[in-house]
Amino acid sequence: MARREPTRILSSVRARRLHVVRLALAALVVVGIGSAITVAAWTDSVHFDTTVSSGTIELQGAVDYLDPTNPGTVPDGLDWQEFPGAPADSGLIARFVPPAIDFQNFGPGQTRSATVWLRNAGSLPVGMVFDPADPASLSWSGANLFPDPPDVVVTAVDRNNTPVLPIEGWVLRGGDWLTVTVTVSTPSDWAQENEGRAGSLELIFQATTDGVTTD
């Protein structure tokens, strides 16, 4: 029987294992290097640019034409003004106070009317705020005021001559206007205590963006 050499056999086994480990490490190194070389990322993009701006509101009024002797078309022929009132503390956006309307020398049982105009000269739609039963919209004042002031009725039509009922809450879009008729009348039994009196009639039309969509 041949004699074994244990030490030489173990050395040969260790050598083969070490060779296998070296091959495995070499393979890992090759794989890692290959991945770093072959991986690439391509990118692209699209850019959008836009302008963001705010709209405007501007409530204007007119009580006369630019040239009363040669009236132009509404609204271009009208003498538009802002007629600003006292600073508003109600949170509403704009105020329009027309100048005094000439209703002079009334007696019992008389009725007179005058026309004023309102226009939204801004870009945003606004809701009209006007309630003839509210002193903030219609009021009398004066040191020698009538004991029984005349009745006042305020009506309006839009640019298409469609009745605006009521003016309160009516949405007026940019560039649109209202034709407003103010009618003042006294009863046929108007008491003589009203003789020789006078009063300042103030109409305040207001506009707000509150509750009005801008779409």
Side-chain angles (χ1 to χ4, degrees):
M1 176 180 294
R3 187 178 177 180
R4 292 185 178 181
E5 297 180 359
T7 301
R8 186 177 299 176
I9 293 173
L10 289 174
S11 297
S12 177
V13 171
R14 289 193 187 100
R16 283 196 296 269
R17 287 179 179 176
L18 182 59
H19 181 67
V20 170
V21 170
R22 287 175 177 171
L23 289 177
L25 290 174
L28 289 175
V29 171
V30 171
V31 170
I33 294 174
S35 298
I37 293 174
T38 59
V39 172
W42 291 12
T43 62
D44 195 5
S45 62
V46 176
H47 294 261
F48 292 92
D49 189 354
T50 186
T51 299
V52 179
S53 67
S54 60
T56 62
I57 66 165
E58 183 178 356
L59 188 62
Q60 295 180 338
V63 295
D64 205 349
Y65 288 94
L66 289 169
D67 182 2
T69 62
N70 185 25
T73 58
V74 177
D76 296 331
L78 293 173
D79 184 16
W80 294 103
Q81 303 288 335
E82 286 197 47
F83 299 116
D89 57 2
S90 61
L92 299 173
I93 305 301
R95 291 166 59 92
F96 161 66
V97 181
I101 300 172
D102 190 13
F103 292 104
Q104 301 295 315
N105 205 32
F106 267 95
Q110 293 188 338
T111 298
R112 295 177 191 157
S113 296
T115 300
V116 298
W117 294 268
L118 299 172
R119 177 175 71 170
N120 181 2
S123 62
L124 295 175
V126 294
M128 296 303 303
V129 181
F130 180 81
D131 180 0
D134 186 349
S137 296
L138 189 156
S139 62
W140 291 94
S141 62
N144 190 31
L145 189 61
F146 310 102
D148 181 19
D151 294 326
V152 181
V153 176
V154 181
T155 58
V157 296
D158 66 9
R159 60 186 300 174
N160 299 313
N161 289 322
T162 301
V164 174
L165 298 172
I167 297 176
E168 178 83 12
W170 186 266
V171 175
L172 199 59
R173 300 194 174 277
D176 282 351
W177 67 90
L178 297 179
T179 301
V180 180
T181 300
V182 182
T183 302
V184 178
S185 60
T186 59
S188 58
D189 59 350
W190 202 28
Q192 192 166 351
E193 287 80 1
N194 295 290
E195 180 184 1
R197 304 294 186 106
S200 175
L201 172 61
E202 184 178 53
L203 304 176
I204 300 178
F205 296 91
Q206 304 180 69
T208 179
T209 58
D210 185 25
V212 180
T213 60
T214 57
D215 296 337

